[in-house]
Amino acid sequence: MKLSSTVVSLWLALVLGQQFPECTRELAATDDCADVINANACYNQFRFRNNQTLSCIGGTTNDERALKACKCCSCVGTQMCNWVTQSRFQC
């Protein structure tokens, strides 16, 4: 019983802790989201496995890239938002 309550607690923390904006036409048209969306080929190369994926996103610092990833991950897809969550970026 303790294991299942731990799993449920972890799941709730992930679900409630990371809320990503819905990808609207307006959001996808921003320069920030273009930097995230246009990097699909780079994401495929790294397969969202390591921190190299962050370098795919245009930006001058990793903090700036992480913020763009948080803001626009839903425009790329679920795998991108999962990677953002697992990477524990401060969104």
Side-chain angles (χ1 to χ4, degrees):
M1 188 67 155
K2 184 172 184 148
L3 177 61
S4 64
S5 65
T6 303
V7 171
V8 169
S9 297
L10 179 61
W11 180 80
L12 281 173
L14 287 174
V15 169
L16 297 175
Q18 292 282 19
Q19 297 292 324
F20 300 109
E22 179 183 348
C23 184
T24 62
R25 237 180 242 198
E26 293 80 18
L27 182 61
T30 64
D31 289 339
D32 285 349
C33 286
D35 287 343
V36 175
I37 295 167
N38 293 337
N40 271 327
C42 186
Y43 302 144
N44 290 337
Q45 178 183 0
F46 295 116
R47 304 270 183 212
F48 296 98
R49 289 191 194 138
N50 56 36
N51 286 336
Q52 291 283 356
T53 302
L54 190 58
S55 68
C56 296
I57 300 169
T60 54
T61 66
N62 281 344
D63 289 340
E64 180 184 348
R65 291 180 187 108
L67 245 153
K68 289 179 182 182
C70 291
K71 178 178 162 184
C72 304
C73 73
S74 62
C75 294
V76 175
T78 304
Q79 187 174 8
M80 177 70 164
C81 290
N82 289 343
W83 175 76
V84 168
T85 300
Q86 290 170 353
S87 298
R88 297 184 181 152
F89 295 139
Q90 297 297 323
C91 298

